[in-house]
Amino acid sequence: MALIAIIDDDPDILDASSLVLKSKGYEIITATNPNDGYDIVKLHNPDLIILDVMMDEPDDGFFLAQKFRKENIHTPIIMYTSVSKAVGMDFGANEMVPVDDFVEKPITPDELIKKVEKLIIHQVKE
Amino acid sequence: MVVDDLKPQVLIIDDEKGLRLGTKRLLESEGFIADVAENGTEGINLARSKPFDLAIIDLKMPDLDGIEVLKEIRKIDPNIVCFIATAYASYETAIESTKLGAYSYIPKPFTPEELLLQLKKGYEKRLLILEAEKLKKEREERLLEIAYEKTRLKTILNSITEGALVVNKTGELVLYNSSALKYLDLHEIFIGDVILEILPPEITEMIKKFIDSNEYIPNSYSTQIELKPNKELIVEATCSPVPHADGSLAGVVTVIRNITEAKKVEDIKSQFVSMVAHELKTPVAAVIGFIKIILDDTFGVKPEQQKDFLNRSYVRLNGLLAMVNDLLDISRMELRKTQREIKELDIAQVLKSTLDFLELELKKKGITANLSIGCSDCHLMADQNEINRLFTNLISNAIKYNKDNGSIDLEIKRSGNYLRIRVSDTGIGLKAEEKAKLFQEFFRVKNDKTRGISGTGLGLSIVKRIVDSYAGKIEVESEFNVGTTFLIFLPIKENGQSSSTQK
């Protein structure tokens, strides 16, 4: 079964997301800051990354996503945001930021599963 | 009868007594006021002493020649209508006297009718002269008024901070003020210059709309223009048509208002709103996540895990509530709507009771607190709630960000015109870049050591607002991993009046 890395500084969101995806049989690895996030991705080479924007962190989620792409890590990324509209980050996937999909928190478990399945199946077909 | 209600004043200068008095009597009976002089010198003196409309001057007099008298009288008042009376009437004298300013000459002897006819005509002339004089004076005054009006308009235009600039239908500059030059960065323009090409294109476009239509429609166009990059100068330019008196288009007035500051405030406001939205939404998302997976049977969450999720939801909601309360406090402070009760407070006592209030938190982390009171009178005029809030926030931070079994040093003493309160902890300390952001709303130090510490990110922002509202100051000294010291200076008013800036 596919391996998913979740990187989010909010442990509550992290646990809830992990539980939902584990229930679908995915294996989950987690990190609560960009540095650890980078390490687990390098170490475990997951099939999908769920990455929070983590705007308060010095090297935020955007930065980490860019870092992955620069280093030729093309693992699909779903980016979690909580304020896309309020901050004017009203862009679609792939626009400006090298991620595959955006998710505005809160997200229902069904939606999360759908988005994850879509990206993972897409990847398997390739 | 005479032409005017006012009696014409006549001066008769003649050395011949009979003629002098006869003429006087005749003129007075005809409604003139007549004064007589028996020689030239007396006549000139009389003319100096009171105003006359008319003068009859005998040409041949023993002391002074009539022509000399005429010259003198015209020096006194050039508008006196003068007649030269002479028995030696010759064309030469007549011409000479009129050249020198006599209105006419009267040949002697004359009949009363001849004299009266001449004087009547002379008096009409006198009235015309006076009327012309009056009109001339009025016109001069009006010209002065217009000149003054122009200066006044210029002064008014130049004293307003908005830029104003008027062009006529052909795009020539008609009027401008100094603010317009400043905003548009125009160093050398003159009235009459065709300036459409050198104005910002946004303004030219608006002006052209009016000029091209060539009729007066009372609409205005407005646009915001960034005149200097990086939002250094943003203006709002409004163009309106200027009509002629007949209602046709005369030109276009452009008013330029500097809205840079307003824009800045707007930006800060919307950034703040975004930040608040983000901060409020995060805990909501976490709680919704937990509840959804508890409610959804497909995840089969075990009872003990359910309880854990509910506990964590509860913590998040409490945090959310604390944040909403802090935000409301900040909003009240911004609006200056806080209900204040300014009274004398013993700040040493406030510190003691704050430590009592936080005793449980102190014990939990095994922190010892020392309070040193260095003033005999530590009183201050302030609002109890605000001062409590100020020190509760500071001391609870000193506990939360302290090491286990660390210590907190509180010291209060007089420092010049201030009460100085020092709050030192032995906590995690701050890096320089963290210190710089310390008082920003929602800023929280994020590292491994702070991960478990709850907070709204608004506590110090509230502290700063309270200190500012009392015209106090706040200083921070910190060493990373060693500890942080806050110095609060609150002004003491010796006359016992409130030091608050509350209006």
Side-chain angles (χ1 to χ4, degrees):
Chain A
M1 198 61 189
L3 176 67
I4 300 172
I6 309 178
I7 307 164
D8 194 322
D9 61 348
D10 188 323
D12 294 340
I13 300 278
L14 202 65
D15 288 357
S17 307
S18 303
L19 189 137
V20 167
L21 294 173
K22 273 180 187 162
S23 79
K24 288 287 157 188
Y26 294 110
E27 280 180 65
I28 305 294
I29 46 173
T30 62
T32 53
N33 62 64
N35 278 339
D36 294 352
Y38 177 77
D39 290 345
I40 59 165
V41 168
K42 287 291 262 189
L43 193 65
H44 300 285
N45 189 25
D47 301 292
L48 177 75
I49 302 167
I50 296 175
L51 178 58
D52 187 74
V53 287
M54 291 181 289
M55 295 199 302
D56 306 329
E57 299 282 334
D59 299 335
D60 61 16
F62 290 131
F63 184 86
L64 185 57
Q66 266 155 356
K67 194 171 166 186
F68 285 144
R69 296 305 185 234
K70 264 183 216 154
E71 294 184 12
N72 269 324
I73 299 172
H74 292 288
T75 315
I77 299 176
I78 293 177
M79 182 158 270
Y80 267 165
T81 75
S82 59
V83 277
S84 67
K85 289 197 176 74
V87 198
M89 300 194 315
D90 215 356
F91 37 66
N94 272 326
E95 219 176 297
M96 285 160 62
V97 187
V99 301
D100 300 79
D101 205 350
F102 276 96
V103 166
E104 200 181 322
K105 287 194 275 190
I107 182 174
T108 65
D110 286 351
E111 278 175 285
L112 178 63
I113 290 163
K114 242 184 253 169
K115 287 200 181 245
V116 165
E117 277 174 354
K118 203 174 130 198
L119 280 172
I120 284 183
I121 288 163
H122 180 70
Q123 195 187 25
V124 168
K125 274 182 186 166
E126 266 178 7
Chain B
M1 267 312 290
V2 291
V3 270
D4 199 85
D5 288 348
L6 278 169
K7 290 180 172 182
Q9 312 252 3
V10 188
L11 174 59
I12 304 159
I13 310 168
D14 206 311
D15 57 341
E16 203 179 315
K17 193 180 177 188
L19 191 95
R20 201 165 63 224
L21 296 178
T23 308
K24 178 177 161 78
R25 207 175 306 126
L26 167 72
L27 292 181
E28 276 172 353
S29 73
E30 289 293 330
F32 290 80
I33 292 170
D35 284 271
V36 291
E38 61 178 44
N39 56 51
T41 315
E42 197 191 324
I44 291 163
N45 287 337
L46 252 173
R48 280 201 184 104
S49 69
K50 58 183 285 196
F52 288 98
D53 297 309
L54 308 163
I56 304 164
I57 307 159
D58 187 24
L59 188 63
K60 287 274 180 231
M61 282 180 292
D63 63 333
L64 272 173
D65 186 51
I67 298 294
E68 290 307 309
V69 178
L70 170 70
K71 283 186 196 163
E72 280 306 306
I73 285 179
R74 298 225 355 124
K75 267 187 221 161
I76 295 162
D77 178 0
N79 295 327
I80 294 179
V81 174
C82 296
F83 295 89
I84 295 293
T86 174
Y88 313 97
S90 67
Y91 285 112
E92 291 83 65
T93 17
I95 288 164
E96 198 196 346
S97 63
T98 47
K99 264 187 197 159
L100 289 167
Y103 172 63
S104 185
Y105 77 98
I106 305 168
K108 282 180 181 176
F110 45 76
T111 65
E113 288 74 26
E114 277 168 358
L115 178 69
L116 285 174
L117 187 70
Q118 285 270 36
L119 287 189
K120 237 180 197 174
K121 272 167 69 184
Y123 187 57
E124 275 166 24
K125 170 75 178 172
R126 164 73 177 174
L127 290 178
L128 282 177
I129 291 170
L130 290 181
E131 182 65 20
E133 280 289 305
K134 200 177 128 201
L135 288 175
K136 193 177 149 200
K137 207 176 150 203
E138 273 177 14
R139 202 188 62 187
E140 276 166 3
E141 274 170 2
R142 218 168 298 144
L143 282 174
L144 207 71
E145 177 88 357
I146 290 169
Y148 176 62
E149 193 62 41
K150 267 190 175 169
T151 323
R152 192 159 56 176
L153 181 65
K154 233 180 175 176
T155 312
I156 293 170
L157 267 183
N158 278 328
S159 70
I160 56 176
T161 48
E162 273 84 10
L165 187 131
V166 182
V167 296
N168 64 13
K169 273 199 297 190
T170 50
E172 290 165 346
L173 182 63
V174 176
L175 196 68
Y176 64 88
N177 69 358
S178 40
S179 296
L181 298 191
K182 189 181 76 187
Y183 292 142
L184 299 175
D185 203 18
L186 298 171
H187 283 294
E188 246 191 316
I189 55 169
F190 299 99
I191 301 292
D193 284 1
V194 177
I195 55 159
L196 289 190
E197 298 310 315
I198 56 169
L199 293 177
E202 296 92 337
I203 293 179
T204 306
E205 197 186 314
M206 290 192 289
I207 293 176
K208 276 189 171 159
K209 277 184 197 170
F210 291 107
I211 292 178
D212 291 347
S213 80
N214 197 24
E215 58 182 320
Y216 174 73
I217 306 156
N219 293 343
S220 293
Y221 297 105
S222 215
T223 188
Q224 293 183 358
I225 311 168
E226 192 173 333
L227 287 178
K228 285 185 192 160
N230 302 320
K231 297 184 178 180
E232 205 186 308
L233 178 62
I234 306 171
V235 299
E236 186 183 68
T238 305
C239 293
S240 314
V242 181
H244 277 303
D246 66 1
S248 65
L249 182 72
V252 182
V253 56
T254 305
V255 174
I256 301 156
R257 193 163 63 93
N258 186 349
I259 55 166
T260 314
E261 286 308 307
K263 276 273 166 195
K264 260 183 213 160
V265 172
E266 225 171 73
D267 282 359
I268 291 169
K269 216 172 77 183
S270 74
Q271 260 173 23
F272 186 72
V273 169
S274 305
M275 231 159 46
V276 169
H278 172 80
E279 295 295 330
L280 296 183
K281 205 171 169 187
T282 305
V284 170
V287 172
I288 285 182
F290 282 143
I291 290 178
K292 185 70 191 166
I293 53 180
I294 291 170
L295 290 177
D296 197 330
D297 291 334
T298 57
F299 299 114
V301 184
K302 294 183 192 83
E304 63 267 31
Q305 204 171 16
Q306 282 188 13
K307 197 170 177 192
D308 175 45
F309 287 170
L310 285 175
N311 268 326
R312 284 160 74 175
S313 299
Y314 180 75
V315 169
R316 294 304 287 260
L317 287 176
N318 270 324
L320 184 61
L321 180 64
M323 197 181 293
V324 170
N325 282 333
D326 280 358
L327 284 169
L328 285 174
D329 280 350
I330 286 179
S331 157
R332 270 195 288 266
M333 277 181 231
E334 294 278 290
L335 293 170
R336 295 201 170 273
K337 267 191 179 165
T338 317
Q339 293 291 316
R340 273 181 162 175
E341 190 188 337
I342 305 293
K343 59 178 183 185
E344 197 172 6
L345 296 179
D346 182 351
I347 303 299
Q349 191 53 49
V350 170
L351 293 176
K352 274 182 214 160
S353 55
T354 307
L355 286 177
D356 289 345
F357 175 71
L358 295 169
E359 200 188 345
L360 199 66
E361 326 292 321
L362 286 163
K363 271 188 182 157
K364 261 194 223 163
K365 284 192 87 166
I367 290 165
T368 49
N370 312 299
L371 171 60
S372 114
I373 298 168
C375 45
S376 52
D377 176 12
C378 308
H379 286 79
L380 202 66
M381 297 298 292
D383 177 85
Q384 178 90 58
N385 286 333
E386 285 181 355
I387 297 298
N388 282 350
R389 182 73 185 263
L390 165 58
F391 292 112
T392 308
N393 282 9
L394 276 178
I395 297 170
S396 74
N397 270 359
I399 299 169
K400 282 198 284 189
Y401 294 96
N402 217 318
K403 297 186 176 93
D404 285 344
N405 305 312
S407 67
I408 296 173
D409 256 352
L410 300 178
E411 181 201 45
I412 177 167
K413 65 173 197 176
R414 287 285 292 261
S415 169
N417 297 321
Y418 294 89
L419 264 189
R420 196 194 78 169
I421 300 100
R422 183 171 60 84
V423 180
S424 301
D425 65 47
T426 54
I428 58 170
L430 296 163
K431 291 176 185 164
E433 67 266 23
E434 294 167 343
K435 199 177 127 179
K437 291 185 190 168
L438 202 56
F439 296 105
Q440 280 178 16
E441 285 89 2
F442 302 116
F443 173 78
R444 296 191 66 209
V445 173
K446 284 208 166 181
N447 56 43
D448 288 341
K449 285 173 185 151
T450 65
R451 225 163 273 282
I453 302 171
S454 70
T456 61
L458 294 170
L460 284 179
S461 154
I462 290 172
V463 163
K464 177 95 169 60
R465 279 162 206 263
I466 293 174
V467 171
D468 285 348
S469 79
Y470 286 94
K473 25 179 204 175
I474 184 161
E475 287 170 12
V476 190
E477 291 157 15
S478 188
E479 196 178 331
F480 188 61
N481 267 333
V482 176
T484 303
T485 293
F486 285 90
L487 291 170
I488 308 289
F489 295 84
L490 294 171
I492 304 164
K493 287 266 172 86
E494 296 295 352
N495 57 13
Q497 272 179 7
S498 153
S499 60
S500 143
T501 54
Q502 173 88 1
K503 281 162 203 137

